[in-house]
Amino acid sequence: MNIKEKIIQMLIKKQPLTSSVLSNQLGISVRTVKNYIYQINTEYPETISSSHTGYSINKDKAYDVLRDILGEEKEIPQTSKERVIYLLNMLLKSHQDEQFNIYDIGDELYVSISTIRNELKQVKRKLNKYDLELKSKGDYFKIEGLEKNKRKMLSAILYKESDMHFISLDTLQNSFKNINIDLIKSIIINLFQKYHYFINDYSLSNLVLHIALSIERIRDNEHYIQGTQPIDQDLIEYTLAKEIASQLETYFQIKFNNEEIYEMTLLIISRASSLNFKTVTEENLEQFVGQKCLSLVHILIDNIKAIYSIDLSSPEFLIRFTLHIHNLLIRSRNNYLNKNPLTKKMKTSYPLIYDMSVNISKTIIEKTNITMNDDEIAFITFHLGTILETQKNLASKISVAIFCPNYYDLSLKLVENIKQYFSNDIVISHIFTEENNLLELKNIDLIITTVPLNILLKTPVFEVDMFLTNQSRYKLNEIIIEINREKQKEELRSYLTQLILPELFERNDSLNNKENCIQYMVKKFENNHYVNKYFYDDVIKREQLSSTAFGNFAIPHSTKMNAYKTGINIIISKKSISWNRNSVNLVLMMCFNKNERYIFNKIYDTITTILSESDNVKKIISSQSYEEFIDSIVNSIK
């Protein structure tokens, strides 16, 4: 670290500082300090100012100077929130038992040690929510906890970054001030309607962004390079791209070449749905991009799943992302990398998604030997952020396909009516006019049709009148509620089968009192290596504080989360078991590992709510098998 960098760092951490203080800490003379400050201000005017109290620094300019000194575009977190995210990302991606020095981190982020200590307090609170611990000893700190909890937290932060409309059309207009974004949107929508194409809300902003970038590039006289594969000019998407280009050329006074129209064709293929369903699929994707490119994308998707616990293998993302990587490889090999006005926003607003994009870019470079810049990395960030936003919405909303044969204009009207009343509950992903297309659908929760279907489908189907009357809306709302209920049931079933193994379920009529029952169940936990020898005493201490019997069921457990692994032990007894002043027929003994506290939070309230209704308990107690027991609890969700 050179003297100039040290001076700037010291002033960023604390200001004002006198020349004598700087002199003492740097081990140089006062005159030398003044000479260095003069050099900095000569090269970077008005960076450091002086007064009777000492030297002060303009932090914004200081970061620019540091970037130049470091010789790279190193993004330095500048706010408390940015530093917390930086520290979390660093810890969550660290190796087991890897330690960090608080002074090194302070130097790296150009802040004081007290600032780092304050940020680590926030980090610790956030880690605790995912059963992770921040351990510190002396000047060193590290993270402790299960790897799966690290990945769970990392993916949760990534999804949270994509919360508020990853890139909206308003954001695009702010970034492209000399390009009419609403006009591009209108041209796309009008021509899509003409050719009976449908594009969902998530894909529209993506397509508008790429077209806006093309316009800006052409205005700068940087036309798209040659080298792409020949396009089938009989494709409707090609005709559609030509018409979009023609209208854009008239308005913006520019000219698209054949390669740019080819790229637009691929963008339309990957983002829009033809009502004839003739588009790129997983099966024919290799024909467009080649085997090497497709294999590379599969490697990238596998790496993301391994590192971040995020599954990006959906057909929609695979097709879109593969076509993007295909074009990226062509651009790089022809020394024509894209410019992206959104790069700075991507880095500062979505630091973890951008970091994930950097990791993807490193793999691409290693596998292909191409070169990439920050703008291309930001493009990858855009793709990742969009799919994360889509996934998060689909997880909380119902995915819907609409079948409306032969009436495209009316189907669009129906879509608008449905969005008006149910936009908070559903995502419309497809519109179809041919019945056989419905057989090719994947990951759809509901099909809304305007006519009776002649084919049998596993997916729920709701027949609606074209104009969505009040009666239709009421029925559709009931179906949405039922589908959401089924999703809740499947989630509960997944947790129950994870926690209650068949060997932990038993019908037993020989246990007549609380003491015998607890001893018996603890022993079963011990034999299956769930708990240590102190668990029995902990359960008894909890019972002494307050009985865990409620009505005719009991939930004995320890107040400590020190089990080897989390589990639930079940006893159903035809004969009543004496439990203090109660008589119970169902006992659920629970043990929890501290690293799986989130499971406790997920299921404890749900189970107690279900058991609070006596009718539910009666049905559960009548279960004769493990499978029937799980079904009884799951089906109690109303």
Side-chain angles (χ1 to χ4, degrees):
M1 186 183 299
N2 64 37
I3 299 297
K4 289 181 183 178
E5 184 182 348
K6 287 180 180 178
I7 290 172
I8 292 169
Q9 279 193 44
M10 290 170 67
L11 289 172
I12 287 175
K13 292 176 185 177
K14 185 180 180 180
Q15 56 180 307
L17 291 176
T18 64
S19 57
S20 60
V21 170
L22 289 168
S23 169
N24 289 334
Q25 293 192 20
L26 293 170
I28 57 178
S29 67
V30 170
R31 175 174 290 186
T32 304
V33 168
K34 292 181 177 180
N35 283 337
Y36 275 119
I37 290 174
Y38 174 77
Q39 291 174 25
I40 292 170
N41 278 333
T42 299
E43 192 171 355
Y44 304 95
E46 299 180 357
T47 298
I48 299 174
S49 58
S50 62
S51 67
H52 68 280
T53 58
Y55 291 108
S56 299
I57 197 163
N58 181 316
K59 287 189 175 181
D60 290 337
K61 291 187 177 181
Y63 290 124
D64 290 335
V65 176
L66 285 173
R67 290 189 188 101
D68 285 349
I69 293 173
L70 293 169
E72 58 183 6
E73 280 294 316
K74 182 178 180 181
E75 288 299 313
I76 305 166
Q78 298 184 36
T79 67
S80 176
K81 181 180 178 181
E82 289 174 1
R83 285 190 290 270
V84 168
I85 289 291
Y86 179 90
L87 291 167
L88 281 170
N89 188 35
M90 178 185 75
L91 287 165
L92 292 170
K93 293 170 68 178
S94 63
H95 302 297
Q96 188 173 2
D97 294 327
E98 182 178 356
Q99 297 189 97
F100 300 93
N101 184 285
I102 194 167
Y103 287 94
D104 291 342
I105 299 300
D107 287 344
E108 188 176 334
L109 301 184
Y110 307 111
V111 293
S112 66
I113 301 307
S114 61
T115 298
I116 294 296
R117 293 192 192 279
N118 286 333
E119 312 302 23
L120 286 175
K121 290 177 183 177
Q122 294 187 58
V123 168
K124 186 172 185 176
R125 288 194 294 270
K126 291 178 182 295
L127 290 174
N128 287 341
K129 294 178 182 178
Y130 291 86
D131 304 326
L132 297 166
E133 290 186 77
L134 182 69
K135 292 285 188 179
S136 58
K137 186 175 181 180
D139 298 333
Y140 290 86
F141 63 93
K142 66 177 181 177
I143 187 175
E144 284 190 358
L146 295 179
E147 187 65 26
K148 67 176 181 180
N149 290 347
K150 293 181 185 179
R151 298 295 161 247
K152 186 181 290 290
M153 184 177 189
L154 191 54
S155 61
I157 296 173
L158 285 163
Y159 279 114
K160 190 173 182 179
E161 280 192 359
S162 66
D163 264 352
M164 299 304 292
H165 298 296
F166 187 72
I167 294 294
S168 66
L169 293 177
D170 288 339
T171 303
L172 294 182
Q173 187 60 78
N174 289 333
S175 299
F176 296 91
K177 297 188 182 300
N178 297 320
I179 294 177
N180 189 331
I181 296 298
D182 280 338
L183 175 79
I184 298 173
K185 174 187 171 184
S186 297
I187 289 173
I188 292 170
I189 291 175
N190 290 336
L191 286 173
F192 273 28
Q193 289 179 1
K194 175 182 176 180
Y195 286 94
H196 292 191
Y197 268 66
F198 170 72
I199 187 166
N200 63 41
D201 294 338
Y202 301 115
S203 299
L204 180 59
S205 60
N206 196 307
L207 181 56
V208 171
L209 166 64
H210 281 78
I211 289 177
L213 284 164
S214 294
I215 293 170
E216 189 172 78
R217 187 176 61 216
I218 294 168
R219 279 178 167 177
D220 291 339
N221 202 30
E222 295 180 356
H223 286 273
Y224 203 75
I225 42 77
Q226 301 294 316
T228 55
Q229 298 176 15
I231 193 75
D232 180 358
Q233 297 191 9
D234 292 331
L235 286 173
I236 297 177
E237 290 89 351
Y238 178 75
T239 303
L240 183 50
K242 285 192 68 175
E243 289 205 27
I244 291 175
S246 176
Q247 292 195 25
L248 293 172
E249 287 172 344
T250 300
Y251 183 85
F252 292 104
Q253 296 297 296
I254 58 174
K255 183 67 178 177
F256 288 88
N257 65 25
N258 290 335
E259 296 296 323
E260 286 151 349
I261 293 175
Y262 169 86
E263 184 184 46
M264 195 186 299
T265 302
L266 287 181
L267 291 173
I268 294 169
I269 287 172
S270 64
R271 284 158 180 79
S273 298
S274 164
L275 295 195
N276 295 319
F277 212 64
K278 293 176 182 176
T279 185
V280 176
T281 65
E282 286 184 86
E283 289 72 26
N284 65 15
L285 182 57
E286 188 177 321
Q287 298 174 20
F288 288 83
V289 301
Q291 189 272 329
K292 286 185 178 180
C293 179
L294 187 57
S295 296
L296 172 62
V297 172
H298 281 297
I299 291 172
L300 300 176
I301 289 174
D302 289 344
N303 287 350
I304 291 298
K305 188 170 185 179
I307 299 172
Y308 299 94
S309 296
I310 291 176
D311 187 356
L312 299 177
S313 60
S314 67
E316 179 186 10
F317 178 77
L318 175 66
I319 293 168
R320 182 181 300 176
F321 191 58
T322 303
L323 292 172
H324 175 79
I325 297 300
H326 170 67
N327 284 337
L328 164 64
L329 296 175
I330 294 171
R331 287 195 299 273
S332 180
R333 285 166 181 158
N334 287 272
N335 298 314
Y336 183 78
L337 295 174
N338 266 327
K339 294 178 181 178
N340 191 339
L342 297 169
T343 297
K344 188 173 182 180
K345 177 180 177 60
M346 297 288 187
K347 284 185 175 183
T348 56
S349 300
Y350 316 105
L352 278 189
I353 301 177
Y354 187 85
D355 183 73
M356 182 162 55
S357 304
V358 170
N359 286 339
I360 285 178
S361 301
K362 286 179 180 177
T363 304
I364 294 172
I365 292 168
E366 289 170 2
K367 298 291 183 182
T368 64
N369 293 318
I370 67 167
T371 58
M372 291 179 64
N373 58 15
D374 280 358
D375 292 338
E376 290 289 2
I377 294 173
F379 266 117
I380 293 174
T381 304
F382 185 86
H383 281 274
L384 294 177
T386 303
I387 189 62
L388 289 175
E389 182 186 6
T390 304
Q391 285 185 352
K392 187 162 186 176
N393 276 282
L394 289 176
S396 60
K397 297 182 180 182
I398 290 173
S399 178
V400 173
I402 293 179
F403 174 56
C404 184
N406 304 325
Y407 299 101
Y408 180 77
D409 293 337
L410 289 177
S411 68
L412 289 180
K413 181 65 175 176
L414 176 62
V415 168
E416 292 306 312
N417 284 338
I418 291 173
K419 283 183 178 179
Q420 179 183 349
Y421 293 104
F422 299 103
S423 60
N424 293 329
D425 305 302
I426 69 171
V427 173
I428 298 173
S429 57
H430 297 88
I431 302 176
F432 297 117
T433 57
E434 294 185 14
E435 190 174 66
N436 287 337
N437 299 151
L438 299 176
L439 295 170
E440 302 182 46
L441 283 175
K442 296 179 182 178
N443 303 317
I444 294 292
D445 296 312
L446 176 65
I447 295 171
I448 297 176
T449 176
T450 56
V451 297
L453 298 183
N454 298 310
I455 55 176
L456 293 176
L457 298 168
K458 292 181 180 179
T459 306
V461 176
F462 175 61
E463 186 177 339
V464 65
D465 54 82
M466 185 68 72
F467 302 102
L468 198 66
T469 61
N470 290 338
Q471 184 178 10
S472 292
R473 291 206 309 270
Y474 178 78
K475 288 181 178 178
L476 181 54
N477 186 60
E478 285 186 325
I479 290 172
I480 290 171
I481 292 172
E482 177 59 29
I483 290 174
N484 278 323
R485 185 183 296 119
E486 289 303 314
K487 285 188 171 185
Q488 292 175 28
K489 287 182 177 181
E490 286 308 306
E491 181 182 43
L492 178 58
R493 183 184 299 277
S494 173
Y495 280 117
L496 291 177
T497 53
Q498 177 184 344
L499 297 179
I500 309 173
L501 302 181
E503 56 265 32
L504 295 180
F505 171 83
E506 182 180 351
R507 291 195 65 93
N508 188 331
D509 300 332
S510 65
L511 305 168
N512 55 15
N513 61 58
K514 177 182 72 174
E515 290 73 18
N516 291 340
C517 187
I518 290 176
Q519 285 178 348
Y520 181 86
M521 297 182 82
V522 168
K523 191 65 176 176
K524 184 185 281 191
F525 263 154
E526 288 178 350
N527 292 340
N528 285 279
H529 309 292
Y530 276 79
V531 299
N532 60 31
K533 61 182 179 180
Y534 304 108
F535 184 72
Y536 174 80
D537 292 337
D538 292 337
V539 172
I540 294 299
K541 287 178 182 177
R542 170 61 185 85
E543 286 293 331
Q544 290 171 347
L545 290 172
S546 176
S547 174
T548 59
F550 309 89
N552 63 339
F553 69 92
I555 309 180
H557 60 278
S558 167
T559 56
K560 301 175 182 177
M561 293 194 172
N562 55 4
Y564 298 134
K565 52 186 176 180
T566 302
I568 304 178
N569 195 343
I570 306 296
I571 291 287
I572 296 177
S573 176
K574 189 175 182 180
K575 296 180 181 179
S576 295
I577 300 171
S578 175
W579 206 286
N580 295 348
R581 297 179 180 180
N582 292 69
S583 294
V584 304
N585 300 95
L586 171 65
V587 183
L588 303 90
M589 179 175 282
M590 297 183 176
C591 68
F592 290 90
N593 180 283
K594 66 176 182 178
N595 292 316
E596 296 175 324
R597 189 183 292 111
Y598 67 92
I599 299 180
F600 176 86
N601 296 334
K602 276 280 188 182
I603 69 161
Y604 187 79
D605 287 344
T606 302
I607 290 177
T608 53
T609 300
I610 289 171
L611 296 177
S612 66
E613 295 187 24
S614 58
D615 287 345
N616 290 337
V617 179
K618 288 178 183 177
K619 291 178 184 177
I620 292 167
I621 290 174
S622 66
S623 302
Q624 298 299 313
S625 66
Y626 168 80
E627 291 79 10
E628 191 177 342
F629 174 79
I630 298 293
D631 286 342
S632 297
I633 295 182
V634 170
N635 292 330
S636 295
I637 292 181
K638 301 297 188 221

